[in-house]
Amino acid sequence: MIKNYAIVVGLLLCANLAHAQQKGKDNAGGGLTATSKSQYAIMTSTPLDAVTWTGGFWGERFNVLSHTSVQSMWATWQTDEGKGFNNFLIASGEKQGKHHGPPFHDGDMYKWLEAVAAVYAVTKDPELDKIMDRFIGCVVKAQRADGYIHTPVIIAQMQASAEQGTGSKGQENSGNKGAADNTVVGTAVGKKDDGAFGNRLNFETYNLGHLITAGIVHKRATGKTTLYNAAIKAGDFLYNFCKNNAKELAGNAICPSHYMAVAELYRETGDPKYLELAKQFIDIRGMVENGTDDNQDRIPFREQYQAIGHAVRANYLYAGVADLYLEDGEAQLMKNLTSIWQDIVTRKMYINGACGALYDGTSPDGTDYKPDNIQKVHQSYGRAYQLPHATAHNETCANIGNMLFNWRMLQATGDGKYADIIENCLYNSVLSGISLDGEKYFYTNPLRMSDEFPYKLRWPKERTKYISCFCCPPNTLRTLCEAQNYAYSIGKNEIYVNLYGSNTLQTNMEGVGDIILEQTTDYPWDGTVKLTIKKLKGKKAFRLKLRLPGWCMKSLIQKNSVTVTSRLENGYCTLEDTWKQGDIITFTMQMPARIVEANPLVEESRGQVAVMRGPIVYCAESQDLQGEDIDHVVIPVGTRFQPVETTIDGSRMMALEGKVNVRDEASWEGVLYRDIVNKEKKEKTIRLIPYYAWGNRGKSEMTVWMPAGY
């Protein structure tokens, strides 16, 4: 399969070579976040088709994602269990039936479509184009004339109309009066929660936000505008509704994907009303009566300086506010975001970049104000340093939100510390959400799994194809299918290399022209990266900025085999030179295995250590412990772990092997406390695997943190 992938990549590179030559500066940055014209952005993303994985780690993963995952999820959407597509068939009038599944299933399908579009941007696979057209056709038919679309509401209205004998076709009912003239909407069937925004837990703005984002990405990937036009209608609906019903809309900002969406719609259209809407979204949060920390709307955003509440909603909010800063430059917003980021990274984030420690937390934990009551908070940022292992929630969507937040902070500042978090999340707490075969998923990402744990948590302990709350799988899929779009950024006369992996960048830089940059590496398993300028007309001066990861203590840079020096600026090794076609830059980062400890205020990690190598977090899984209990493994602080190549479920990776101590302990069955005694111990060589790969060999026990031996 990998050989076939290499052939496909070769053909794609040949086909895209001519295409790259046609890219103009107006198209530069038309990627995930097109900030080329954003006044307060230091950098912009590359176009969606600018970067192609050519092998190595991400080449293997993209092969699975593009040939298995997107197709497998399309099949899931059509099963009796999934039924996501069935809802659109009913809402579009193609069939009759009732709505099934949670109210946010619409948004989940839009996320899946975004993943397909991201793959299509690279592969131009006609079968994927057909699949997208099939789904988009239903979306367009189901959307109301005023731009509103939410299949539970649309289907309920159709059923009510049919009962009243006024018709049953989706398009007939898509023109329902109400939102179109900005009056109170959704009362056609006599129940408030049958109409738009009648129930804040219907996730309508969340769904509309993902529709808008998918429409923009689909347009940038395919050149087609059918879904994009639907996205504009959805944006206009939000604009009109906010203009006339701001207070009602403020209370419906659950999981605000629409904040990021309207900012990107402003970038795509240039229409200032969408920037106005992005500002209003932040401002009206202070209008909410009886707001909650769960939804970060108990107090206005500009008074918030710590990460609080439901971690997915929080991280989406922070990413959306960062988008507004990129366009508007309000200093207060950056003050809030910087303080919140510091709170997350230094007090509330797991070693693998995961967020949302608690299944159920309480307000006002972690806040700096004194509300008049205590509230339950789901999937919560807890108190500072409250980071349990076995009961960690760490929903994959929250970890993706952390990535989205840091990506926008990176674009605003050019500071590599944000790219460090992006890389950490990608490899560890996002990639862990999908199986190596690309078809099964985790919802939560704990750092420990023990058979001895005495009660069940809410979500499965094994990877499954369909989860009743299906928000994470398509979110994971779109994020990983778009990973190549985070690899590079373009600044003013400079190229930022954010992520390392074998790939080819084909783009156009103002003042430089067409450029093709080839990256060859076995990263993250090896720290040597070779960058070759494959195409450049004449000699051109520009800055090449190579991110120096925070974990790297020693590195070496060579140009055409000659060692060169660089300036370290904001976490990037900056090479300012005159370049020509054929130049080769070799960047070597030493990558020893490291034994890591946590701040002693993290009570659950006191006296324990974790192991990392490069950006990869490792864990002990029961299959690799030769019958030993995961609780009996002690890692001496001087242990030297050596990389060992292995495969799990056909996926190549580097495991780590080292000699550790294994304690001989009496059973703890029925015992809570006992006197400590000297315990027999033996030295044994064990194997650790990357955290993202655990749970791919059947049911297992696992731990990231293990007792330290001194």
Side-chain angles (χ1 to χ4, degrees), residues 16 193 273 318 519 528 555 560 583 595 628 638 648 660 686:
N16 287 341
D193 62 358
K273 74 179 181 183
Y318 307 149
Q519 187 177 156
T528 299
S555 63
N560 300 328
D583 280 343
I595 297 178
E628 302 291 350
I648 296 178
V660 301
I686 67 162

Side-chain angles (χ1 to χ4, degrees), residues 284-329:
I284 66 177
R285 295 184 72 87
M287 299 171 63
V288 177
E289 293 181 5
N290 301 316
T292 67
D293 286 340
D294 189 49
N295 202 45
Q296 298 82 35
D297 55 13
R298 189 198 289 261
I299 60 172
F301 178 78
R302 291 174 179 84
E303 296 175 25
Q304 297 180 28
Y305 292 94
Q306 297 180 22
I308 58 172
H310 190 297
V312 184
R313 299 172 188 178
N315 289 349
Y316 272 38
L317 167 64
Y318 307 149
V321 174
D323 262 330
L324 177 57
Y325 172 80
L326 285 164
E327 304 305 325
D328 187 60

Side-chain angles (χ1 to χ4, degrees), residues 274-464:
Y274 299 122
L275 178 57
E276 176 193 343
L277 182 58
K279 294 177 183 177
Q280 288 177 333
F281 280 159
I282 307 303
D283 294 341
I284 66 177
R285 295 184 72 87
M287 299 171 63
V288 177
E289 293 181 5
N290 301 316
T292 67
D293 286 340
D294 189 49
N295 202 45
Q296 298 82 35
D297 55 13
R298 189 198 289 261
I299 60 172
F301 178 78
R302 291 174 179 84
E303 296 175 25
Q304 297 180 28
Y305 292 94
Q306 297 180 22
I308 58 172
H310 190 297
V312 184
R313 299 172 188 178
N315 289 349
Y316 272 38
L317 167 64
Y318 307 149
V321 174
D323 262 330
L324 177 57
Y325 172 80
L326 285 164
E327 304 305 325
D328 187 60
E330 183 187 332
Q332 177 59 43
L333 295 182
M334 181 53 73
K335 183 178 179 181
N336 296 113
L337 292 173
T338 301
S339 177
I340 288 168
W341 184 89
Q342 193 73 15
D343 183 45
I344 293 172
V345 173
T346 65
R347 305 199 301 174
K348 295 175 181 172
M349 188 178 78
Y350 282 89
I351 191 173
N352 61 347
C355 297
L358 308 180
Y359 271 70
D360 294 298
T362 56
S363 160
D365 294 342
T367 64
D368 55 359
Y369 59 100
K370 294 179 171 58
D372 56 4
N373 60 73
I374 304 299
Q375 300 172 336
K376 178 179 175 181
V377 180
H378 183 44
Q379 303 178 199
S380 176
Y381 276 114
R383 298 179 176 92
Y385 308 109
Q386 191 175 14
L387 299 169
H389 301 165
T391 61
H393 193 275
N394 290 348
E395 182 186 340
T396 314
C397 283
N399 310 335
I400 291 168
N402 192 23
M403 232 188 82
L404 297 175
F405 175 30
N406 277 274
W407 173 246
R408 287 154 176 78
M409 294 295 282
L410 175 65
Q411 290 188 302
T413 65
D415 194 326
K417 68 184 182 183
Y418 300 112
D420 282 352
I421 304 299
I422 293 167
E423 179 179 65
N424 188 3
C425 293
L426 262 180
Y427 280 112
N428 299 304
S429 57
V430 177
L431 196 59
S432 59
I434 187 171
S435 61
L436 295 173
D437 67 8
E439 296 196 83
K440 297 181 288 295
Y441 301 89
F442 276 144
Y443 182 84
T444 58
N445 296 275
L447 276 75
R448 174 180 169 80
M449 186 65 70
S450 172
D451 290 340
E452 300 299 319
F453 207 63
Y455 59 87
K456 289 185 178 181
L457 297 168
R458 292 194 191 109
W459 304 107
K461 293 183 178 181
E462 296 183 68
R463 299 177 185 274
T464 57

Side-chain angles (χ1 to χ4, degrees), residues 329-608:
E330 183 187 332
Q332 177 59 43
L333 295 182
M334 181 53 73
K335 183 178 179 181
N336 296 113
L337 292 173
T338 301
S339 177
I340 288 168
W341 184 89
Q342 193 73 15
D343 183 45
I344 293 172
V345 173
T346 65
R347 305 199 301 174
K348 295 175 181 172
M349 188 178 78
Y350 282 89
I351 191 173
N352 61 347
C355 297
L358 308 180
Y359 271 70
D360 294 298
T362 56
S363 160
D365 294 342
T367 64
D368 55 359
Y369 59 100
K370 294 179 171 58
D372 56 4
N373 60 73
I374 304 299
Q375 300 172 336
K376 178 179 175 181
V377 180
H378 183 44
Q379 303 178 199
S380 176
Y381 276 114
R383 298 179 176 92
Y385 308 109
Q386 191 175 14
L387 299 169
H389 301 165
T391 61
H393 193 275
N394 290 348
E395 182 186 340
T396 314
C397 283
N399 310 335
I400 291 168
N402 192 23
M403 232 188 82
L404 297 175
F405 175 30
N406 277 274
W407 173 246
R408 287 154 176 78
M409 294 295 282
L410 175 65
Q411 290 188 302
T413 65
D415 194 326
K417 68 184 182 183
Y418 300 112
D420 282 352
I421 304 299
I422 293 167
E423 179 179 65
N424 188 3
C425 293
L426 262 180
Y427 280 112
N428 299 304
S429 57
V430 177
L431 196 59
S432 59
I434 187 171
S435 61
L436 295 173
D437 67 8
E439 296 196 83
K440 297 181 288 295
Y441 301 89
F442 276 144
Y443 182 84
T444 58
N445 296 275
L447 276 75
R448 174 180 169 80
M449 186 65 70
S450 172
D451 290 340
E452 300 299 319
F453 207 63
Y455 59 87
K456 289 185 178 181
L457 297 168
R458 292 194 191 109
W459 304 107
K461 293 183 178 181
E462 296 183 68
R463 299 177 185 274
T464 57
K465 206 162 190 175
Y466 181 79
I467 305 169
S468 59
C469 186
F470 203 63
C471 58
C472 290
N475 210 8
T476 303
L477 192 53
R478 71 158 178 153
T479 303
L480 296 176
C481 287
E482 294 169 344
Q484 65 275 9
N485 294 284
Y486 297 101
Y488 300 91
S489 296
I490 306 298
K492 188 175 182 180
N493 203 42
E494 56 196 6
I495 298 177
Y496 290 79
V497 186
N498 304 317
L499 301 177
Y500 300 107
S502 290
N503 63 61
T504 298
L505 166 68
Q506 306 175 58
T507 194
N508 180 284
M509 291 177 63
E510 186 174 2
V512 175
D514 294 331
I515 182 170
I516 297 179
L517 188 66
E518 180 183 78
Q519 187 177 156
T520 306
T521 181
D522 195 27
Y523 193 92
W525 313 129
D526 184 89
T528 299
V529 178
K530 184 173 78 171
L531 293 152
T532 304
I533 299 177
K534 301 294 286 187
K535 179 182 178 181
L536 184 64
K537 188 174 181 180
K539 295 183 177 181
K540 298 292 173 66
F542 60 88
R543 290 178 295 277
L544 186 63
K545 302 174 78 75
L546 308 174
R547 182 177 62 89
L548 182 66
W551 52 261
C552 181
M553 297 295 103
K554 191 172 183 180
S555 63
L556 176 70
I557 301 177
Q558 295 178 307
K559 178 184 177 183
N560 300 328
S561 301
V562 177
T563 300
V564 296
T565 57
S566 65
R567 299 192 315 274
L568 184 61
E569 298 177 337
N570 286 334
Y572 285 86
C573 297
T574 302
L575 300 173
E576 191 161 6
D577 207 338
T578 299
W579 307 93
K580 66 181 185 304
Q581 185 170 308
D583 280 343
I584 298 174
I585 304 94
T586 304
F587 185 33
T588 303
M589 295 166 279
Q590 287 194 1
M591 192 181 280
R594 294 138 37 224
I595 297 178
V596 181
E597 64 178 344
N599 187 309
L601 292 176
V602 182
E603 294 183 65
E604 291 84 350
S605 298
R606 283 184 67 97
Q608 299 184 73

